[in-house]
Amino acid sequence: MAPRTAVMEAVEKLNYRVTIGDVAAQSGLSLNVAQREVLALASETGGNIQVAESGEIAYKFAPNFRQVLVSRSFWLQVKEWLKGAWKWVFYAIRISFGILLIVSILIVVLGIIAATIAIQSQGRSDNDRDDRRSDNRGGGGGFIWLGGWGSPFGNPFIMFDPYYYEPEQVRKRDPDEMGFLESVFSFLFGDGNPNADLDERRWRDIASMIRSNNGVVIAEQIAPYLDETSRLEGDEYFVIPVLSKFNGFPEVSDAGTLAYKFPELQKVASERKSKTSSSYLQEKLWKFSQASQGKIALAIGLGVFYLVASLYLGSLLGDPRLAKSLVGFLGFIKAAYGFLLGYAVLFLSTPVVRYFVLQYLNKGIGDRNQKRAARVEQLQKPSSALREKLDFAKTFAMKQEAIDQDNLAYTTEQDLADQEYAKMLKEQKP
């Protein structure tokens, strides 16, 4: 997610009044990036700055700041339009594979019919010349074998019936279910990376964990949210990116124990209780497809039918009796046969390859999740050395500093004269 988008979403979730620490914790952005984006957003949307008597700063935005921003930025308007258009473009891409499958099957079926008729016609012509019409009864068997109800294929056209695998009343029970054309894309390529937002979740959870521990933590508390932390025993190198992102710094005990303080994350626009969504970062497993089993079964059935029909079509096109008929539609079928057969092979082989790749990826995800869970268990049952580190960190615990409306020293929502007058009245109160 782009930093600007992340900041805008954080402002909305935090009720339009935030500190830099609020935004960094909610969005997972570094404090420097969060500060830069918040200032730019406040400048472009007419946001207000509020300064507490302690000198801490909060930023207040209007609830309609998105509309203000869009109206002031032509390029943002274009981006919003493209974002909406892309949904339809991507939808068209998704259904195009299903459409291509159905069109290809129709072409193959029509090609089989045309080739069978041409072979039959050629056979009848030969029989007429040889005056052996009695053999014509067996000449049309090829076509009847394909389309007859008792053939190995059954009735091929019934597969295009939308109720063949799943009746309409079943689909109506779940109106949000993926359509068949989209299911073909999902069957072939899946539904995207389930951990595309992993880094955002990682930094958001780390920030929330730090806040829930009063702004001071030890390396072992950060480790469950990271991937690799075991380079050397006692080496806390993995904390450095967290210190850099959230402006933290270490505190050292006389025994050499390290704790890490993050003062900025304890400054909030209003009193908030911070709670992490999980005790460790959990990666989501890849799913083969979000399509229903019925839709996947239909896609596989059509793919198998398509492959077998393509191979049968190839045998017909190789018949010597068809040599003089490979013009017009049959000539097109002959020229496109390589693509038709290749697409049939790829249609079935792509999901098979993807299935084994996903098994490998999920094994790695499972191993990483298990390691992170083990680090949490270590915290829940600390050794004496780890208990000393946790106790040392608690000695630096910081109280959450809220910038409330009633302790403001200055806000850009009022004229300077009004602020000075309000401050004078406040000082005159006994």
Side-chain angles (χ1 to χ4, degrees):
M1 186 184 298
R4 173 57 62 87
T5 303
V7 168
M8 292 168 69
E9 291 184 358
V11 169
E12 290 172 331
K13 291 178 181 177
L14 296 172
N15 202 27
Y16 308 100
R17 188 168 178 271
V18 298
T19 64
I20 302 301
D22 286 337
V23 173
Q26 180 66 40
S27 65
L29 297 172
S30 68
L31 287 165
N32 291 335
V33 173
Q35 182 171 10
R36 183 186 70 225
E37 293 296 337
V38 167
L39 287 172
L41 186 63
S43 174
E44 295 171 14
T45 62
N48 290 290
I49 299 174
Q50 298 178 334
V51 182
E53 293 176 345
S54 62
E56 302 302 335
I57 296 174
Y59 299 84
K60 187 175 182 179
F61 296 86
N64 66 335
F65 75 92
R66 277 186 183 267
Q67 289 79 359
V68 174
L69 188 62
V70 170
S71 65
R72 292 185 180 183
S73 173
F74 170 76
W75 289 113
L76 190 59
Q77 291 183 31
V78 172
K79 184 177 179 180
E80 290 288 332
W81 181 85
L82 290 175
K83 184 178 179 181
W86 171 245
K87 293 180 181 179
W88 292 102
V89 173
F90 186 61
Y91 176 76
I93 293 173
R94 288 177 66 90
I95 67 173
S96 66
F97 288 89
I99 294 173
L100 180 60
L101 172 66
I102 294 174
V103 171
S104 299
I105 291 176
L106 285 174
I107 292 174
V108 169
V109 170
L110 292 175
I112 290 173
I113 294 173
T116 303
I117 292 174
I119 290 174
Q120 289 177 351
S121 299
Q122 185 65 34
R124 281 195 293 268
S125 298
D126 292 341
N127 289 335
D128 287 341
R129 286 193 299 268
D130 295 338
D131 196 26
R132 291 188 298 196
R133 297 178 181 274
S134 60
D135 292 339
N136 288 348
R137 296 187 187 93
F143 173 68
I144 296 173
W145 175 81
L146 170 69
W149 289 95
S151 71
F153 290 108
N155 179 6
F157 298 102
I158 197 172
M159 285 193 163
F160 300 102
D161 185 351
Y163 314 119
Y164 182 62
Y165 277 89
E166 202 167 63
E168 185 176 1
Q169 59 266 28
V170 174
R171 293 201 312 275
K172 284 184 177 180
R173 284 201 291 263
D174 186 7
D176 297 327
E177 187 178 6
M178 190 181 299
F180 171 70
L181 296 179
E182 290 183 285
S183 299
V184 171
F185 182 92
S186 178
F187 170 68
L188 287 173
F189 305 111
D191 304 285
N193 185 359
N195 298 301
D197 63 341
L198 184 65
D199 277 343
E200 294 176 25
R201 290 194 290 120
R202 183 197 311 278
W203 294 117
R204 184 166 59 243
D205 286 350
I206 289 175
S208 297
M209 182 273 297
I210 292 172
R211 278 189 160 179
S212 65
N213 285 278
N214 298 316
V216 185
V217 296
I218 60 175
E220 286 80 358
Q221 290 174 294
I222 297 174
Y225 300 95
L226 303 178
D227 295 329
E228 180 54 50
T229 62
S230 56
R231 188 168 66 185
L232 290 173
E233 186 67 27
D235 188 351
E236 300 183 358
Y237 67 96
F238 55 86
V239 177
I240 294 176
V242 182
L243 296 175
S244 175
K245 195 171 188 70
F246 298 122
N247 285 358
F249 57 88
E251 292 284 353
V252 186
S253 70
D254 294 337
T257 298
L258 287 173
Y260 302 95
K261 296 180 65 175
F262 298 86
E264 293 293 333
L265 290 180
Q266 287 303 96
K267 299 172 184 177
V268 296
S270 58
E271 291 288 348
R272 295 190 178 100
K273 292 183 178 180
S274 184
K275 184 178 180 181
T276 55
S277 57
S278 176
S279 57
Y280 65 95
L281 181 66
Q282 298 187 51
E283 292 183 64
K284 301 173 184 176
L285 295 176
W286 286 79
K287 288 186 177 180
F288 179 77
S289 173
Q290 293 181 4
S292 66
Q293 292 183 353
K295 294 298 194 309
I296 293 177
L298 177 57
I300 294 174
L302 286 176
V304 172
F305 170 77
Y306 178 30
L307 178 60
V308 174
S310 297
L311 293 172
Y312 180 64
L313 175 61
S315 68
L316 292 178
L317 293 176
D319 194 314
R321 292 175 293 176
L322 201 62
K324 296 181 180 179
S325 302
L326 295 178
V327 294
F329 179 68
L330 283 176
F332 164 74
I333 294 293
K334 179 69 175 178
Y337 179 72
F339 169 79
L340 294 171
L341 180 60
Y343 185 67
V345 173
L346 285 174
F347 185 85
L348 292 175
S349 60
T350 298
V352 172
V353 173
R354 191 168 63 84
Y355 172 81
F356 288 105
V357 171
L358 294 187
Q359 298 306 304
Y360 173 78
L361 293 176
N362 284 339
K363 183 180 183 303
I365 290 174
D367 290 343
R368 289 192 294 274
N369 284 342
Q370 189 174 7
K371 288 180 180 179
R372 296 190 190 107
R375 294 170 195 150
V376 173
E377 187 175 353
Q378 182 185 23
L379 285 170
Q380 293 172 345
K381 300 177 181 179
S383 62
S384 58
L386 183 56
R387 172 58 61 189
E388 289 180 8
K389 290 186 71 173
L390 291 169
D391 292 340
F392 174 67
K394 290 179 181 179
T395 62
F396 294 97
M398 297 176 290
K399 183 180 179 181
Q400 192 177 76
E401 185 173 346
I403 306 173
D404 294 325
Q405 293 282 356
D406 55 357
N407 68 356
L408 296 180
Y410 172 79
T411 172
T412 55
E413 295 174 282
Q414 300 174 329
D415 292 335
L416 287 175
D418 293 338
Q419 293 182 51
E420 289 296 331
Y421 179 70
K423 187 175 181 180
M424 181 182 66
L425 291 177
K426 187 175 181 180
E427 291 174 351
Q428 291 177 354
K429 289 183 179 180

